[in-house]
Amino acid sequence: MLQLPKLFTSKLSIRISLKVVSLVAALLAVALITMLLYSRKTVKQEAIMTAEQTLEGTIEHIDGILLSVEQSAGNIYFNMYRHLDNPEKLYDYSRRLVESNPYVSGCAIALEPYFYKDRELFMAYYHRSKIGSKIVRSETFANKPYTQQVWYTEPMKRGKPCWMDPLEDLDANSEAITTFCLPIYNTEGKRIGIMGVDVTINMLSRIVLSAKPSKNSYSVMLGSDGSFIIHPDSTKRLSEKVYEQFEHGSDLSLKEAVDAMMSGQKGYKRAKIDGRECYVFYHPFTRNVATGRYLDDMGWSVGMVYPEEDIFGDYNRLLTQVLLIAIIGILLLTLLCRFIIHRRLLPLIFLTKSAHRIASGHYDESIPDSHQNDEIGQLQNHFQQMQLALAKHVEALENMNIELQERGERLRVAYHQAQAADRLKTSFLHNMTNQMLSPVQIMSERVTDLYQMQTMKSQDFDRMADDIQKQGEVITDLLNHLLELSKEATGKEERHA
């Protein structure tokens, strides 16, 4: 753990490579982050545009069908209006309307009770059968009288054309439908019945469910009461309301999107659905203006659930690939920089080893000429010149040292000789001193005797004088001999010097 950082700090080529790669990586990171953020923004904007166009196209498609049904119903309505007194004609018009428009699954012309005196209830009803799509005539619709069904009672109250939410009071064998209702008035302006033109929800479902920009996205259509008119899960159609999902443990972040959707807003929200992050796009069911068309607010809305994975899945995979390529590229760049810089620094490595050997005492270390013209080549050449000068200087120092050693050896010999001579001289002086001591004592005694004696015979005086003279000659000879020895020693020293 401690050797790796030390390796990084001890190798110049690694440090330079890391600095170069760090700078390149920083610039690359800034460029990649900028590009990826812009790309993500672009992907999101494209997804939003696609979702909005899909919703608008779906609404346009469905509204085109509804408009076609409205116009067909209007045409039949005005032709039928003159034949209200003929029940058979009403059956004919009902059948004709179903035949003339492929989007119409059934047409019911229901009049108020006892409109015909001999009939309590009258409803001319033709519809397409489930088998073979044949147009068949029926006397009843669903499992209760039409006067108790919402498609009849509600328009009779309103007194104006309207589209009804898909009916919930049908029997189990009936196909879910939405009905366009036209109130029928008599000449006095009194409402006397309803013309109901049915469109199957399955047909609308195929349109809505096919509107999906990605594999996992799906679209829904909500009624004015929040019920699912269209949903990929057929069990939820008409039987479940969108707010019931909150009771089933769905993420509450979806509530804000549903509230906006039910209030007729257009836009999108980010929410979590079934544990997945999604974008919920919503658009009110707006109807196009057409001549003679009554534009009531149906309260419908179309929504699209667009999983975030579908929007950013390719982007995230591309991001992973780009990051992987960037990491591999940085590693390869590091190795390449390390190789190139190491190659360029080989002279420095060689000079480092040479300097270490020179510092260890190998002053004759050979440094070749450099073939590089850059600073490193100049450094190697200058280092070579320095090594050659140092080798010459060391050689001169070694020669001087040898000479000094020889001189020192001669001085040591001379010193030992001087010591021996000094010892000899000391011994000689000691002997000479001892030899001169006796004559001097004799002379001193004779002089003392001469000084003390008042009368002395001539013979004794001559004898003492001769004795003093002899001792003086002995001392003179010793001094002359000492002087000669001193001269010889001085001559030898002068010759050695």
Side-chain angles (χ1 to χ4, degrees):
M1 295 297 292
L2 297 176
Q3 293 180 354
L4 190 59
K6 184 177 180 181
L7 176 64
F8 286 163
T9 57
S10 61
K11 297 292 185 180
L12 178 61
S13 60
I14 295 180
R15 294 205 308 271
I16 295 176
S17 300
L18 289 178
K19 289 181 179 179
V20 172
V21 172
S22 298
L23 179 59
V24 173
L27 295 176
L28 180 62
V30 172
L32 282 178
I33 290 173
T34 303
M35 181 187 70
L36 293 174
L37 288 177
Y38 179 78
S39 299
R40 184 179 178 87
K41 181 180 179 182
T42 302
V43 170
K44 182 178 179 181
Q45 290 176 344
E46 183 177 353
I48 293 173
M49 184 181 300
T50 301
E52 290 179 348
Q53 290 176 349
T54 302
L55 288 179
E56 291 174 357
T58 302
I59 293 172
E60 288 282 344
H61 192 175
I62 294 176
D63 186 57
I65 293 175
L66 300 186
L67 179 60
S68 172
V69 172
E70 293 173 15
Q71 290 175 340
S72 297
N75 293 334
I76 295 296
Y77 178 88
F78 287 109
N79 292 328
M80 173 201 71
Y81 187 77
R82 295 172 295 175
H83 302 282
L84 289 176
D85 56 346
N86 187 347
E88 292 304 320
K89 276 287 187 182
L90 297 185
Y91 280 107
D92 184 57
Y93 283 119
S94 174
R95 180 180 55 80
R96 191 185 303 174
L97 178 56
V98 177
E99 290 176 342
S100 64
N101 193 315
Y103 301 123
V104 175
S105 63
C107 175
I109 302 174
L111 300 178
E112 63 180 351
Y114 297 107
F115 178 80
Y116 299 113
K117 303 300 182 182
D118 56 342
R119 300 183 184 183
E120 179 181 1
L121 299 177
F122 173 83
M123 181 177 67
Y125 179 47
Y126 274 89
H127 65 91
R128 299 179 190 275
S129 65
K130 292 184 179 180
I131 301 175
S133 298
K134 293 181 179 181
I135 299 175
V136 297
R137 173 175 171 174
S138 297
E139 299 298 330
T140 60
F141 177 73
N143 54 7
K144 56 184 176 181
Y146 65 82
T147 54
Q148 299 177 17
Q149 296 178 22
V150 67
W151 69 270
Y152 179 85
T153 59
E154 189 65 25
M156 286 294 286
K157 293 178 182 178
R158 295 184 185 180
K160 54 187 177 182
C162 63
W163 280 93
M164 301 300 299
D165 283 349
L167 302 180
E168 301 179 11
D169 53 355
L170 303 177
D171 57 33
N173 295 323
S174 300
E175 187 177 11
I177 59 174
T178 180
T179 304
F180 177 62
C181 302
L182 277 171
I184 303 173
Y185 292 86
N186 60 15
T187 56
E188 298 175 356
K190 179 183 177 181
R191 287 188 292 275
I192 59 173
I194 297 295
M195 173 188 281
V197 185
D198 302 329
V199 177
T200 61
I201 296 301
N202 285 338
M203 183 184 64
L204 301 181
S205 295
R206 287 192 294 271
I207 297 172
V208 173
L209 296 182
S210 64
K212 47 187 303 182
S214 68
K215 178 180 179 181
N216 299 311
S217 63
Y218 60 90
S219 299
V220 297
M221 179 180 286
L222 298 182
S224 58
D225 59 351
S227 60
F228 287 108
I229 300 175
I230 298 172
H231 194 281
D233 186 356
S234 59
T235 61
K236 293 184 178 182
R237 295 178 189 172
L238 308 179
S239 62
E240 185 173 326
K241 292 182 171 54
V242 65
Y243 287 105
E244 294 178 10
Q245 290 200 5
F246 305 125
E247 300 174 2
H248 298 165
S250 297
D251 194 335
L252 295 180
S253 60
L254 183 61
K255 185 177 185 304
E256 185 178 353
V258 172
D259 289 339
M261 187 174 180
M262 293 302 299
S263 62
Q265 298 181 29
K266 174 185 175 181
Y268 69 94
K269 299 286 184 182
R270 193 167 181 263
K272 183 175 288 187
I273 301 176
D274 298 329
R276 295 189 304 177
E277 293 294 337
C278 302
Y279 284 86
V280 180
F281 297 87
Y282 42 87
H283 197 297
F285 189 86
T286 54
R287 305 168 67 191
N288 293 322
V289 177
T291 303
R293 190 180 196 187
Y294 182 79
L295 296 175
D296 62 326
D297 185 8
M298 300 173 64
W300 294 359
S301 57
V302 180
M304 176 186 293
V305 177
Y306 205 160
E308 192 175 72
E309 173 62 23
D310 287 10
I311 297 176
F312 298 109
D314 292 338
Y315 169 83
N316 292 333
R317 286 186 286 273
L318 178 62
L319 174 61
T320 302
Q321 294 174 1
V322 169
L323 291 179
L324 183 60
I325 293 173
I327 293 173
I328 295 175
I330 289 174
L331 292 177
L332 293 178
L333 179 62
T334 303
L335 295 177
L336 181 62
C337 289
R338 169 74 172 83
F339 175 76
I340 295 175
I341 294 175
H342 178 75
R343 294 275 301 180
R344 298 297 296 175
L345 293 181
L346 282 177
L348 287 181
I349 298 174
F350 172 76
L351 292 178
T352 301
K353 294 180 179 179
S354 299
H356 179 71
R357 288 180 56 81
I358 291 173
S360 300
H362 300 83
Y363 301 108
D364 57 345
E365 180 73 14
S366 177
I367 299 177
D369 295 333
S370 175
H371 300 291
Q372 298 179 206
N373 296 323
D374 55 7
E375 291 80 357
I376 296 179
Q378 296 177 8
L379 176 63
Q380 182 173 344
N381 292 332
H382 293 163
F383 196 84
Q384 180 191 48
Q385 296 174 3
M386 181 185 70
Q387 185 272 333
L388 293 175
L390 180 62
K392 292 180 181 179
H393 184 66
V394 170
E395 183 180 3
L397 289 177
E398 288 178 350
N399 294 332
M400 185 181 296
N401 184 41
I402 292 172
E403 184 178 354
L404 289 175
Q405 287 180 353
E406 292 176 353
R407 288 186 179 184
E409 183 64 22
R410 290 197 298 270
L411 288 174
R412 186 180 64 79
V413 172
Y415 175 71
H416 289 305
Q417 290 177 353
Q419 284 184 330
D422 185 66
R423 288 193 299 271
L424 181 62
K425 181 179 67 174
T426 301
S427 177
F428 175 77
L429 290 176
H430 181 71
N431 291 332
M432 293 294 292
T433 303
N434 289 336
Q435 292 179 14
M436 287 189 296
L437 183 60
S438 178
V440 171
Q441 288 179 348
I442 294 173
M443 290 177 67
S444 177
E445 290 176 356
R446 295 291 181 267
V447 172
T448 301
D449 291 343
L450 288 176
Y451 179 73
Q452 289 179 353
M453 296 179 65
Q454 297 293 329
T455 59
M456 181 182 295
K457 293 180 180 182
S458 172
Q459 295 176 350
D460 293 333
F461 182 82
D462 291 336
R463 183 176 53 79
M464 290 183 181
D466 290 336
D467 195 11
I468 291 171
Q469 184 178 2
K470 289 179 180 179
Q471 296 301 325
E473 289 176 353
V474 171
I475 292 172
T476 301
D477 291 338
L478 290 174
L479 290 175
N480 288 331
H481 183 62
L482 180 61
L483 182 60
E484 290 177 359
L485 292 176
S486 176
K487 288 180 179 179
E488 291 178 1
T490 302
K492 291 181 179 180
E493 290 180 356
E494 287 178 353
R495 285 194 299 273
H496 286 300

